[in-house]
Amino acid sequence: MDMKMSDTGFTALMDRFSLTCKSERDMDKLAHIFSYYISDIVEHVLCFGGDILNITGNVLLALWTVEQNQLSDIITLVAKCSLEIQEKFGIYHTREGQDLQLQIGLSAGRISQVIVGDEQRQYLLVIGRNVDDVQLAQRLAQANEIVLSWNCWMLCEQYMFEVEIMKEYEAVKIDVGQPMEYISEFRTVTMVLVSLEFHQTAWMLHLCHLIQEAASYISRVIEKGGGQLSRIFMFEKGCMFLCVFGFPGDKKPDECAHALESSFSIFNFCWENLAETKLVSISITNGPVFCGMVGAVARHEYTVIGPKVSLVARMITAYPGLVSCDEVTYLRSMLPTYNFKKLPEKMMKNISNPGKMYEYLGHKRCIMFGKRHLVRERNENHPLLDREKELETFRMAQQGCLHQKKGQAILYEGGKGYGKSQLLAEINLLAQKEGHRVLPLKLKEADSKQRFYAIQTLMAIFFEIDTCPAYYRQECLHKQLCEMVEEPLHCLFNDLFFVKFPLSFEVSHMDDLTRQKKIKACFFQVLQEALRETQLIFLIDEAQHMDAASWEFLGTLLSSVPIIMVMTLTPTFTLCGEAQHFLQSPHAMLMPISKLAVNSLLRMACWELGVVSIPQELQIYLLHRCFGNPLYCEVLCQDLLSKDILLFHDLQKVEEENSKWETLSANTTKSTMYSIPPASSEEDLELYVCTVKEDVNLDAVLLPPLLKEIAVIQLDQLSPEEQLLVKCAAVIGHSFHIGLLQHLLPGWGKHKLLRVLRALVDIHVFRWCNKSQELPVEPKLMPFSIEIIGKTKAEKKKSGAGSPLELNEELFLPQPEVLEFGVPLLRAAAWELWPKVQQIALHLKCAWFLQPLACRCGSCQRGDFVPFHRFAICPIKSSRGTFRFCSYRDTGSVLTQVTTDKLQLPLPKDSFQLQEKPSRSREAFASEHCRTEEEFLDQVSRKLAQTSPEKDVLTTKPCHCEEILKLVLWPLTQHCLITGENACAFYYLLEAAAASLDLSDNYMAFFYLRKASSLLGQPSAFSFLKKRKVKICQFQEAAFCRLRSEVCFNMGQITLAKKLARQALHLLKKNFPWTWFGVLFQTFLEKYWHPCSMSQPPDNPDENSKKKLAVLQQRVHCLSLLWQLYNLEATASSRRFACLATLMQKNSAEEFANEAQVVSTYVALSQFSQNVGDREQWLHCERMAIQKSSRCWFSREGWLATAQLVQALAYTKLCLGHLDLSIKLGFQAYEISRHLRKPALENLVLSVLFRSAFLKKKFDLCVHVLDSQWALISQGHNILGLACFYSACLDLLLYGKGLRCRPFGECLRFIQYHEHSCILTSQSNVMLGVHSSLAMWFAQDSQWHLFEHHFSKAHQLVRRTNASLFGSHGFVRFLECHMLTSQRVPGAVLMHAPPETQTQVSKYFKEFFSRCVTCPVYHQWVSKLKASVMRCGKREFMSLNNIIRPFDTCLARIWIEGNFLEENKSLEGNVPMQRFDRVADVKENRDEEEIQECKC
């Protein structure tokens, strides 16, 4: 008993998907619709005692095997089964609007089972009258109908059914009303459907023999081409064979070409060898399909599903008797167009737009008279990158050929896409410019099968008959040969060049071998004649496709004719014996082509995109996918442009402050990323930068088809185990930890995992992260331990052995258990192969594993990066009360994974003792022993000098927060984004942004916050209409505003930073006034009412108390930002707001009752007081910080506060003029900050240390400090840090006695490039010093127009500075410029800014002493400057002709003789800083000798 059913809407549904789907991901939905639909039908068939013979496309064939006497009962049973299936599944509604409806046909009778195939593969066929009847019945059935064959109706219990007799067809109609696992993939395949229609008179036994013969031949031919015979099925007139090229593990290059050639071979075989064959039809399609398991658990099949599967079946009936292919196959085969014939368009059932169709005519001999020149042409705007060595080799070959009179051959060997064709195009251009004659040729794989083809085509190009019309070819060739070859020999070239010279008597008596030798001799003769006029150069691209006869000819030619041959080879191809013999020639040189360097690849990307700079996330995207391959870079850039995911911004547009966060992207890129120089130096050239759209996740951007096919071919070369491991690693990311990889492969033991990983590392698919980098200068990073505590016994039991982390488990993040992909494109391609549902399940599994690790490292107390973040949010708990996000439904041999719960936000009980140490109360702070500065410094020295590793917090527990950010936080965010868990993604984006700011990476913080903004959606102009895409609590919104404010502050967006900081305070229920009256009132409250209202925090804070602590911490950050923002403006109003912000920060910090926080706050207050010139408050806050620092030695947070305090003391001693002590403290602060891995603090310490050494005239130490500072900031995008660095370099150039760290031109270019950025325009103190130093430099060279330019800019900045160290330093430089204008510059020189009067200059000196009262280190120097200016004011100006270098006179004398420092002693003792030991111990007598020498 047979049942055959099909759904009528599936082909139409596939057609609809093919028209509307934007990516291969949408086919996952199609596959699941079909898989779950079919699985329920299969289960019903099995429940009724049937079995599944075949599932092909949308057709299912079922069988009931019965005895003859039970046939009637079984027919009734099958009919009832059919009715129930139609009732339950007859109409299946899809969301796409296309219903699936069943057609069922039933038949009863005898069948024959035939097994065909060979020893490796066998296929079961069922044939007979009963099979034809069931196919007819199913075809006659309409939607929701059941049709019985006439024989079946006659044998069943007819009284049980109401039927409609279909006498015309002898049929009766009854009236009715394993999911995918790791082996399922999405991939592009080529399908070949072979249809054999036999004569009706053929005997059944003979027919079986024919099918067996056809199956054997088809299987053999298909496998030879890299495909597989997937399925054989019968129809009423014959048999069909479905073959697939590109199944997992079988992907090969030139797949479409192999499929076409195999199909044509099968077509000819079937016509010529199968006698009873009536019609042979073959159709070929190429496209993305789903390859995986469909059916129920008990019965399932591996099949392919997709629109292209339906198309290949429809093409059989539309184009019978032909080898037809679709347009995609035609284009991707890369075969010559004359091998195809375009077919007329035909309508196909349920396929709306099948596209163009072609008939494949088979491989014909190529008539080479067409353009076979180089595909690549030299682009004048894109210079060749990183190929200087290869071009030098070509030039050396030219010289060798000229001097030795011998042929020279250069063979450039490189992988696909390495730029071999581009290199040949460059050589072609260079040779033509030098007047040489170049014969270029591009070969294809099919050319290797034609004897002498390469030489035939080269000589056709030489004779210039390759492009001329056929009727003129013989005449053109005759003109070329008449002067060099005897006319009777012209007929030798008839067959070679398709001409018809008269056959001469001499040639007619030659045999084939003699003719070939004579042709070669003629070629040698004409080439030697041509060399007398000019040099000949053969350029052969893809020379591995050259035939053996051509290799042999070129080998002979190389040894006898002084000709240059330049070829390219791809190393994956095996060369013939003649080619290997050619390579062994002493005149041939094989040169491998290396990949592009990182900078060159990024420059190439800029050229392709038409910009001068690309953002960091785009750089990472390209570097991870290209690995230095130029072709990959070019295709990826073109793909990005075609997908419209980039935004372009005018670089020359003046950067302005933004009032909205959403419009900040362009300025961020322009302010932080100019690492790639412009391709052209033309001044009028329009320059652009690009950014990535906010809602685009580059990691989820699909590869272009060309690159995906290349990567899948590489993947399929691996073993099945290796492929599975690579696919799982691709889900994790570019870098992955072994522990997480094993979590995705629970069935693998550690031994098996390491064995497969080792094999993949050996073939460079993976590489250990630490082996690709140089050994760090720092001590080796030690593993940190993460302890999960606070779990109940029930929770521990529930987590089981598969829990991602066990108690006291160690995760070696920086050690060699972290690997990364070492092959370009492989990770992206492997990730795309996963079906969508399985992909989401794996990403959720990764997220579940990483979630407990998403916190600070163990040495940083494992807290949240946004302090107490998890305590302040209110996550929505799962209805099941569990944190598991997926469960498993085991229904047999196939495991079905069903997503049941969403990933939850971290809860407080998940914390790792976050800030669990009890903080001291406010009374404990007040009763603290008041230590002196000497006691504090002595304790710092003792702590740094101790050698016990148990006590040394700095060296035994280094910070691993940077590794956590890269390996945990950002990957976890990616997993949440891909799975659609946007609430969790927003949470971890805030954490990642806070971590980036802690690590002084402002650009990445901006990147994470921009991603968070895209999750929330665009804000509405009206508050009552504001509706977020992601629901977040008020605390998260406040933290979001605070983080954005800090990023804006670092970017120089002052107005927006103030706005966001105020908004964050408002959300934290702490308003900041807008008016001066509000400032007065709030100041009164903070001074008198707030201290009385503070409540004492509990010793052991509960969850609610920690929520309050989270709010207090954010308030402290906001208020700290506000005073720094207002401190940038030198107005009385801004000073009032800044003072209030510092007072509120101090009160909030004391309410927070954290020692380190309070110390950091007092350090910040002392800095503010020094900046505004409040000496008393400055020193008072410093003393308070020292007094509160007694318990800051037991944690990294405390050590950070200590480092800030030591740095503040070094700063203070510098301002007061105690330079030796300042240098010593600077070394101590630098050592602490270096161990803490705080680059921002480290940079600040180095700036203070440089200034102390500079004023002490220890210029060698200055150079070493600047070298360390450059190593710290050069790799990032810290524009302000670079400005401070170049300002110091200018000081060293002006006064460093010939020493320099960076040349002046580099300093000037940086300033010119960035002076209009918001970052530097907001930093008046730094820029005053920079412009004043530049003015002095140009005055030194008597470039008075440039002096005037920078001096006028300094003049505009001087009013906006304060009493800080940089402000005072800039003011001093400005006064020095004034001295030059009053002494050395004639008034006629300064056209736009004439010299000021002596009264005006005196006002500047007076203003300096009144403003910079907290920076007395410069007072005596400025007094000498003032005296010098006053003396010179009584003299007349010298004429321009008498001007001498200004630094040879008065200013230099003031600098050298200025003995204005309180102490001038050398640094005593060894400094605890290895890098500066020898420099710091410079003897003072050397300085004295230098001073005496300069005096002379």
Side-chain angles (χ1 to χ4, degrees), residues 798-852:
K798 183 185 291 186
S799 64
S803 178
L805 286 176
E806 298 295 332
L807 189 65
N808 295 327
E809 182 182 1
E810 290 187 344
L811 182 63
F812 293 79
L813 283 175
Q815 293 295 323
E817 290 197 11
V818 178
L819 295 98
E820 64 183 8
F821 279 83
V823 176
L825 307 175
L826 193 60
R827 186 252 160 181
W831 180 78
E832 291 179 26
L833 291 176
W834 288 107
K836 188 67 174 179
V837 172
Q838 189 69 24
Q839 193 182 80
I840 291 177
L842 288 170
H843 279 289
L844 284 172
K845 208 170 183 181
C846 293
W848 172 244
F849 181 90
L850 293 174
Q851 205 172 22

Side-chain angles (χ1 to χ4, degrees), residues 164-184:
E164 174 188 344
I165 304 297
M166 305 171 68
K167 292 184 178 180
E168 181 180 357
Y169 300 101
E170 295 185 348
V172 176
K173 178 172 70 178
I174 300 179
D175 294 330
V176 294
Q178 139 199 343
M180 294 169 292
E181 288 188 278
Y182 283 8
I183 59 174
S184 298

Side-chain angles (χ1 to χ4, degrees), residues 381-429:
N381 296 324
H382 292 189
L384 199 63
L385 298 172
D386 281 0
R387 296 293 178 251
E388 292 79 8
K389 187 185 298 183
E390 289 81 358
L391 293 177
E392 182 62 28
T393 304
F394 169 70
R395 294 187 184 95
M396 291 175 61
Q398 283 183 297
Q399 296 296 324
C401 185
L402 180 64
H403 296 299
Q404 300 177 11
K405 301 300 180 182
K406 295 286 186 180
Q408 299 287 330
I410 309 169
L411 295 97
Y412 296 112
E413 185 182 49
K416 184 174 183 180
Y418 268 44
K420 304 185 297 295
S421 299
Q422 188 71 35
L423 179 60
L424 284 190
E426 182 76 15
I427 292 175
N428 185 21
L429 180 66

Side-chain angles (χ1 to χ4, degrees), residues 286-305:
N286 176 274
V289 297
F290 164 81
C291 306
M293 307 299 297
V294 296
V297 175
R299 293 291 186 274
H300 51 272
E301 287 197 50
Y302 190 86
T303 188
V304 290
I305 300 174

Side-chain angles (χ1 to χ4, degrees), residues 735 767-776 780-781 813-820:
S735 302
R767 62 187 181 195
W768 303 106
C769 283
N770 67 329
K771 289 186 179 181
S772 63
Q773 301 170 358
E774 296 180 0
L775 292 175
K780 286 188 177 181
L781 300 175
L813 283 175
Q815 293 295 323
E817 290 197 11
V818 178
L819 295 98
E820 64 183 8

